[in-house]
Amino acid sequence: MHDATQRIMDRVIQLDSNQTEFIQAVTSFLNSVDKLVDDIPQLIYHKVLDRIVEPERAIIFRVPWVDDDGQMQLNRAFRVQMNSALGPYKGGMRFHPSVNLSILKFLAFEQTFKNSLTGLALGGGKGGSDFNPKGKSDGEVMRFCQSLMIELGRHIGEDTDVPAGDIGVGGREIGYMYGQYKRLYNKSVGILTGKHPSFGGSYIRPEATGYGLVYLSAAMLDAEGKNLQDKSCLVSGSGNVAQFTTEKLLKMGAKVLTMSDSSGVLIDPSGIDEEKLAFIKTLKNVRRGRIAEYAQKYKEATYIAHNGSATSNPLWDVKADYAFPCATQNEINTEDAKHLVANGIQLVGEGANMPTTLDAEQILMDNGVLLAPGKASNAGGVAVSGLEMVQNSQRLQWTPAQVDAQLLTIMKNIYSNISSAAEKYSTKNNFVDGANIAGFIKISDAMLAQGYV
Ligand code: GLU
């Protein structure tokens, strides 16, 4: 690293030494963009890198709500408005007990470059709360969402900041938050994306992250003369991204051997077919149950409960051609990466945000595994959110086929941008560098043009 880049890294570590996820995301980014510093000295002179690692604004607020027993409950919520150089802050809300400022700063940081890669006019942000929707009634979730929006509402707007979903926030939560915003501000405008199509949501938004991941991975494989037909795949997670990744993989002729949830791992050697996937969708989206139920219904499958003290995840030790981590950050560690390599994995397509640790990433790349980094490969979700904003501004709704065609074009463009940036500034097939650099160049151009703001 150049001294000037190292100084920025040191400052982040000194200021926020306890924000491990944020430091991890900044390390990956600075390792890549350091390769640009000789070509574009203005980045240092105008302190673009110093500014880009500092959120424009971070809001922290309390959310009191009343549970079904009439008791007051209290959660902490956040909105990190990271960068508005390209457009309104854009990024999801995460409801999960692990949520803290470090996780949301890392997510907002990743989101900034992801949104740039989509080619749409979107800045980067992220928010959420340590509220755990698991085990809560619909009424409790509604009251929490309403209370949260009473404060969040003043900080967002269709031209200011447009939240969406993430872990723990789906159509139900978006609906409750949207309804409360409308009641507070008396306005029907696109202040959230991921809405139901009956009130301004875009078709294909639920499918978009998973479909986009498979479109980008297919483009990457195609460049190597490979494809998905009859290939065995590992998918982790069983939420929105995992479900639609599996759906699209099946449509492309691949076989999916695994899925998981926060309680355990499911391995089905006969493959998770369309009928079994429909069971998972109802189980997860309607009944909000645990994936262990799958193994009770389909006896050919094995269920392994997570072991808190285990150093590796058995899901990543199943022999397969391609892997799609779609659960959460840092779900592939060095042990997992070694298992994947030993089993001959050829591609890791990240559906989650930062699912691979920095050292695990290195092991995969050193062994010639194609690594599609999340900020590129999972950008389909926010891309269709961007298209939802366009439809809301037009007060029109496009057909599913129109949206899907645009999603495919966007993902192919992302592949071509990150692979040419990799070849130009780093090495062929280093898509981590390619994504960081291609995402960053557009933002730095905008930041340089807009002065010291
Ligand atoms: N949470 C998603 C992501 O990580 C989507 C964000 C959005 O649609 O704004 O990209």
Side-chain angles (χ1 to χ4, degrees):
M1 243 188 223
H2 291 77
D3 286 351
T5 325
Q6 187 63 51
R7 179 186 52 74
I8 297 159
M9 191 69 248
D10 292 345
R11 183 164 183 273
V12 169
I13 294 171
Q14 190 207 335
L15 278 178
D16 294 310
S17 56
N18 58 340
Q19 296 182 356
T20 48
E21 294 84 1
F22 179 61
I23 290 169
Q24 182 183 340
V26 172
T27 306
S28 165
F29 166 76
L30 286 180
N31 277 335
S32 298
V33 298
D34 189 54
K35 296 173 178 134
L36 285 180
V37 164
D38 289 331
D39 288 336
I40 317 178
Q42 304 94 294
L43 298 180
I44 302 299
Y45 181 71
H46 293 290
K47 295 194 167 30
V48 171
L49 296 176
D50 296 67
R51 284 184 283 146
I52 211 162
V53 299
E54 196 65 32
E56 289 180 17
R57 189 177 301 107
I59 300 140
I60 305 183
F61 55 99
R62 71 181 185 213
V63 183
W65 56 281
V66 178
D67 68 18
D68 287 345
D69 296 327
Q71 299 299 312
M72 202 267 309
Q73 299 287 342
L74 191 64
N75 286 96
R76 177 176 282 182
F78 308 80
R79 187 73 186 162
V80 178
Q81 299 182 328
M82 197 76 190
N83 195 299
S84 62
L86 300 183
Y89 309 106
K90 181 84 196 88
M93 295 289 288
R94 176 177 290 193
F95 293 170
H96 191 271
S98 65
V99 161
N100 58 33
L101 192 57
S102 171
I103 289 187
L104 293 180
K105 277 177 68 182
F106 120 64
L107 288 165
F109 189 69
E110 293 286 288
Q111 195 81 46
T112 301
F113 307 106
K114 182 194 314 197
N115 294 1
S116 164
L117 286 171
T118 65
L120 303 169
L122 301 171
K126 203 89 185 189
S129 171
D130 57 4
F131 174 77
N132 186 359
K134 215 173 282 169
K136 304 286 191 305
S137 69
D138 280 351
E140 290 176 322
V141 171
M142 180 177 73
R143 291 191 293 279
F144 172 78
C145 290
Q146 290 178 334
S147 179
L148 179 135
M149 187 51 83
I150 287 174
E151 174 61 33
L152 183 67
R154 75 187 76 199
H155 305 291
I156 64 174
E158 69 274 32
D159 295 317
T160 313
D161 183 359
V162 184
D166 195 81
I167 293 172
V169 179
R172 174 181 64 167
E173 291 74 16
I174 294 290
Y176 292 149
M177 288 192 279
Y178 182 80
Q180 182 73 345
Y181 181 92
K182 193 158 52 68
R183 184 162 68 148
L184 287 166
Y185 295 91
N186 198 24
K187 284 204 299 187
S188 287
V189 286
I191 42 91
L192 290 165
T193 60
K195 302 182 290 299
H196 191 273
S198 61
F199 56 92
S202 176
Y203 289 114
I204 307 295
R205 176 63 191 87
E207 292 85 347
T209 314
Y211 281 17
L213 169 62
V214 178
Y215 292 153
L216 184 125
S217 304
M220 211 170 250
L221 290 169
D222 189 49
E224 300 291 306
K226 297 177 179 171
N227 59 41
L228 287 157
Q229 187 64 45
D230 299 324
K231 298 300 187 307
S232 51
C233 300
L234 310 178
V235 173
S236 65
S238 50
N240 167 273
V241 181
Q243 289 173 19
F244 289 105
T245 297
T246 300
E247 182 171 295
K248 188 52 89 176
L249 285 171
L250 296 181
K251 286 205 179 105
M252 306 271 281
K255 186 173 174 182
V256 177
L257 302 178
T258 61
M259 286 178 91
S260 63
D261 65 14
S262 55
S263 308
V265 164
L266 186 72
I267 302 169
D268 186 344
S270 64
I272 299 170
D273 60 17
E274 261 111 21
E275 184 216 307
K276 292 167 171 174
L277 178 62
F279 171 82
I280 289 177
K281 283 188 185 172
T282 312
L283 174 71
K284 286 287 160 187
N285 309 346
V286 182
R287 291 198 283 123
R288 299 182 192 272
R290 313 309 302 156
I291 209 160
E293 269 191 47
Y294 179 108
Q296 284 156 15
K297 184 170 163 69
Y298 301 106
K299 299 291 178 212
E300 59 276 29
T302 308
Y303 173 76
I304 307 170
H306 284 310
N307 166 0
S309 54
T311 52
S312 63
N313 180 345
L315 190 151
W316 305 123
D317 203 5
V318 175
K319 191 166 172 49
D321 297 303
Y322 310 137
F324 298 91
C326 298
T328 194
Q329 66 270 1
N330 292 331
E331 56 172 309
I332 297 181
N333 63 22
T334 48
E335 285 305 301
D336 299 317
K338 285 180 197 158
H339 291 152
L340 288 166
V341 168
N343 283 322
I345 211 83
Q346 295 162 51
L347 169 136
V348 172
E350 297 184 344
N353 289 311
M354 206 171 74
T356 314
T357 65
L358 289 174
D359 292 341
E361 228 170 56
Q362 204 53 53
I363 292 173
L364 295 172
M365 288 198 289
D366 287 348
N367 285 281
V369 178
L370 295 172
L371 180 64
K375 59 172 77 72
S377 51
N378 73 33
V382 75
V384 173
S385 276
L387 301 179
E388 182 168 323
M389 290 163 68
V390 176
Q391 293 168 73
N392 291 165
S393 300
Q394 293 181 321
R395 303 222 178 256
L396 283 174
Q397 191 167 46
W398 305 344
T399 65
Q402 279 175 301
V403 180
D404 197 23
Q406 292 224 34
L407 171 63
L408 179 60
T409 306
I410 289 171
M411 298 314 294
K412 283 184 173 169
N413 285 341
I414 293 177
Y415 170 70
S416 107
N417 288 340
I418 65 172
S419 60
S420 35
E423 282 194 42
K424 183 163 177 203
Y425 296 105
S426 174
T427 42
K428 185 174 184 305
N429 287 359
N430 186 333
F431 300 109
V432 172
D433 279 351
N436 280 326
I437 291 171
F440 170 66
I441 285 178
K442 187 175 165 195
I443 300 167
S444 64
D445 284 348
M447 287 177 71
L448 285 165
Q450 291 173 28
Y452 297 158
V453 292

